[in-house]
Amino acid sequence: VRPRSASVMSDADALAMAVVLDPAAAEAWETRAVKIELDGALTRGMSVVDWSQRMGWRVQSRILMRYPLARFAGLIRQALA
């Protein structure tokens, strides 16, 4: 088991909120095809991203890849104050 880096944050809902509050702070985006798994044996409702672009799916989703951790933490602190 690898310890998590303090420079990585993966709370999707909170990051979505941060981008709405301060979209200019977003540092990197990827545009990829995304589908929601509805019929899987092991998962249901999971977002499946075609990172390698091999599935032939329509590319329709912008995915946040990098947001400054210090700015994100500041927005959280501000929201909880």
Side-chain angles (χ1 to χ4, degrees), residues 9-23:
M9 180 63 85
S10 61
D11 184 342
D13 292 338
L15 283 169
M17 175 197 69
V19 170
V20 169
L21 294 174
D22 189 4

Side-chain angles (χ1 to χ4, degrees):
V1 176
R2 288 185 301 167
R4 286 186 160 213
S5 168
S7 66
V8 175
M9 180 63 85
S10 61
D11 184 342
D13 292 338
L15 283 169
M17 175 197 69
V19 170
V20 169
L21 294 174
D22 189 4
E27 296 176 343
W29 295 91
E30 293 282 342
T31 303
R32 293 287 186 264
V34 176
K35 291 202 173 191
I36 307 303
E37 178 60 59
L38 299 175
D39 300 317
L42 300 177
T43 184
R44 183 170 174 81
M46 181 177 164
S47 299
V48 179
V49 180
D50 182 13
W51 291 107
S52 60
Q53 300 177 324
R54 295 182 186 171
M55 301 301 291
W57 299 342
R58 182 175 64 89
V59 174
Q60 84 289 22
S61 299
R62 244 176 68 172
I63 301 169
L64 178 66
M65 299 302 293
R66 191 169 51 248
Y67 196 90
L69 185 57
R71 180 65 185 133
F72 176 75
L75 288 170
I76 296 295
R77 277 193 300 277
Q78 185 179 13
L80 297 175

